[in-house]
Amino acid sequence: MLLLEVISGERLAKPERGKMRVHKISNVNKALDFIASKGVKLVSIGAEEIVDGNVKMTLGMIWTIILRFAIQDISVEETSAKEGLLLWCQRKTAPYKNVNIQNFHISWKDGLGFCALIHRHRPELIDYGKLRKDDPLTNLNTAFDVAEKYLDIPKMLDAEDIVGTARPDEKAIMTYVSSFYHAFSGAQKAETAANRICKVLAVNQENEQLMEDYEKLASDLLEWIRRTIPWLENRVAENTMHAMQQKLEDFRDYRRLHKPPKVQEKCQLEINFNTLQTKLRLSNRPAFMPSEGRMVSDINNAWGCLEQAEKGYEEWLLNEIRRLERLDHLAEKFRQKASIHEAWTDGKEAMLRQKDYETATLSEIKALLKKHEAFESDLAAHQDRVEQIAAIAQELNELDYYDSPSVNARCQKICDQWDNLGALTQKRREALERTEKLLETIDQLYLEYAKRAAPFNNWMEGAMEDLQDTFIVHTIEEIQGLSTAHEQFKATLPDADKERLAILGIHNEVSKIVQTYHVNMAGSNPYTIITPQEINGKWDHVRQLVPRRDQALTEEHARQQHNERLRKQFGAQANVIGPWIQTKMEEIGRISIEMHGTLEDQLSHLRQYEKSIVNYKPKIDQLEGDHQLIQEALIFDNKHTNYTMEHIRVGWEQLLTTIARTINEVENQILTRDAKGISQEQMNEFRASFNHFDRDHSGTLGPEEFKACLISLGYDIGNDPQGEAEFARIMSIVDPNRLGVVTFQAFIDFMSRETADTDTADQVMASFKILAGDKNYITVEELRRELPPDQAEYCIARMAPYTGPDAVPGALDYMSFSTALYGESDL
């Protein structure tokens, strides 16, 4: 009856002796009605069983009352009362050794669980380090005595009963433990507040680490670009082919070895930046603004400058190699012609300065005059060679040949000598003509021989020079032209042989006359120094050079055929790879717009697609190898394809970047979906609506398309001024830069922002206030007691001193710190 009065709060009538059972039943019914009014369901328990002393029914009712008023209100992370109480015990005793709470019976037999609960909240009441697991009786009595004395928790259990029972009563343990929960319920609020702060600070620390990583990666990439651009812009040419070819090899290593990792770093940098901005937006933080000069746009601009410098560098290298090749050929040709001319002029000045005509006979004078005429003919024939030498020297100067000074000096010496020869020739002719009147006879036969032998000799020297002349060609057509010219030259050899025999016949006629008329010949032909032996020797030399020229042309023709095979091999592969890259780019564009299935399925599909693209890399490398063979063969043009290696490289890099960006967009959509609690059905509905109104498949919506999409999703946007103002507000959110288009990511962010709940500065501020005990400030000791060490130190380092009228020494301002976390003030 006393228990029922306590439960119901009413004074019950004391039954008289004669009406004892009736009054007892009435009193018990009043108590049961009160219990039922509090939402407690009593199944199969009536007043008669209680009055009759049914122990089982009475104990069941008492446990139901305890469960309703002492345990039912306990809730930890939305669990049931029993599970919540067990979870609370596990979390509070987790740091203590030899304590493992798994239930409400045998886990408490050693008493360490009760002691750990008291020590966790009131460490000054129990010296936990002195407790022993093998002394459960002492542990239990210590916990019960301390709880009764300092925590006002009555001693509901008996230590001997718990130790002596194989499985202590679960309900009794649970009832007694609930008393600890209610006694320490205030500390639970502080723990909840600390958990919220830890969550917020963990997000902030992770974001700061991502910002530091971005800054470092951006700085390293910009520094590499800064070092590389001056190298690519250096247009100082080398003097030799070997040095320029080494420059070309260095550039090839740069494109194949050094640049591709930087392309990946640039792509990863953009992905990291987008991921960071998405995380900041999802955690309601202000957008990340990199330090000056390290924006994504700054990196793209620097990269553009790099590629602009790179674009002209390879072309300049190839042009320089062509120029040096041409220069080497011209220089060798100059030296060859100069040597022939110098050999011809050797001794000519001394001959022209002779005054042998002063003591000569008339016949000798005639001979000297004719000889001089033959020399003039020879001199005129050499005029073309001198002009060729001067023209080659001028071309070497125009092409900036590195050894131009020595060429110019040698050319000037030849020209000066030629002018001097002309002056000396004119002077000697004048002297001979002065004596010609005194001398009348001349040997016409020798003169005819000299006149015909001199041009024939020049023709043979020219033929030998042409047959030994080096040549450079780049196509089969060019070598075929040289071969045709050579065949035409060989066709003239029979006529030349007839001329040779005719000249030799003149000499034989002279010999015949000498023998016939016994002429006393003092020396050789006075009109020429060309002897029949010399003509025959040069003729034999010409005949020997012809097959050598045939062999050289044949070898060059074979080389050009090999080059043509290289062109066709490269062209065949390039004509397959180029369209393949274009097709893959178009397929990625369609995939990014027409995505089906869950985001995870889309991400898996895109990654498999990316893997198939990466597996194509060996064909790109094979094409690079063919391109290297073409460059090593100095092949500059290819009529079999419109694709260059540069086109293939740029297309391949764009393909890898596009698939990586598409994957990143899906990953960010997954982040948004998970963070905002958007279901897959909602995400599919958003995607279907977006694609429906994206009629041009551009991946973006115009303002009118976006408005129609919102209306289709249930937004009430009218055509009145109020509706226009609301739509303008929404556009300022999804299109802050006023570009006039709405991307799918901005559309998803807006839809998730409209429905999801996020942490706010006020929530964090309220949590700090709980930790501070409702004070307007918090102390260092309170932070270190309630928060993990690293996050407590994080707050201490960033919180400003509190300056309010109720400030104490060491007080910290948690309010300004909370607003700074969400960009509402400076941190």
Side-chain angles (χ1 to χ4, degrees), residues 370 441-453 502-514 517 521 525-528:
K370 296 301 180 181
T441 58
I442 188 171
D443 190 345
Q444 292 295 331
L445 198 57
Y446 270 3
L447 181 58
E448 183 180 359
Y449 173 89
K451 287 183 177 181
R452 296 182 67 173
I503 293 172
L504 294 178
I506 295 173
H507 185 271
N508 292 334
E509 184 67 22
V510 172
S511 299
K512 183 178 180 181
I513 293 172
V514 170
Y517 297 99
M521 295 295 299
N525 190 331
Y527 306 115
T528 182

Side-chain angles (χ1 to χ4, degrees), residues 48-49 219 258 331 358 369 392 416 538 644 681-682 695 707 813 820:
E48 291 80 5
E49 285 84 2
S219 299
H258 304 305
E358 293 179 349
L369 186 57
I392 293 173
D416 292 343
K538 290 182 178 181
T644 65
E681 291 74 14
Q682 288 177 309
R695 295 182 175 88
K707 185 176 182 180
D813 186 357

Side-chain angles (χ1 to χ4, degrees), residues 90 93 96-103 107-108 110 133:
Q90 290 172 341
T93 60
Y96 295 87
K97 62 181 180 179
N98 297 329
V99 177
N100 183 18
I101 303 300
Q102 300 296 329
N103 49 58
S107 295
W108 303 87
D110 58 7
K133 189 175 181 66

Side-chain angles (χ1 to χ4, degrees), residues 158-177:
D158 184 79
E160 288 77 9
D161 289 342
I162 295 175
V163 173
T165 303
R167 190 177 188 275
D169 184 76
E170 183 181 44
K171 295 179 180 178
I173 298 294
M174 190 174 175
T175 302
Y176 188 66
V177 172

Side-chain angles (χ1 to χ4, degrees), residues 112-124:
L112 292 178
F114 296 106
C115 294
L117 286 177
I118 297 173
H119 185 267
R120 177 65 184 272
H121 296 91
R122 297 288 299 276
E124 74 279 3

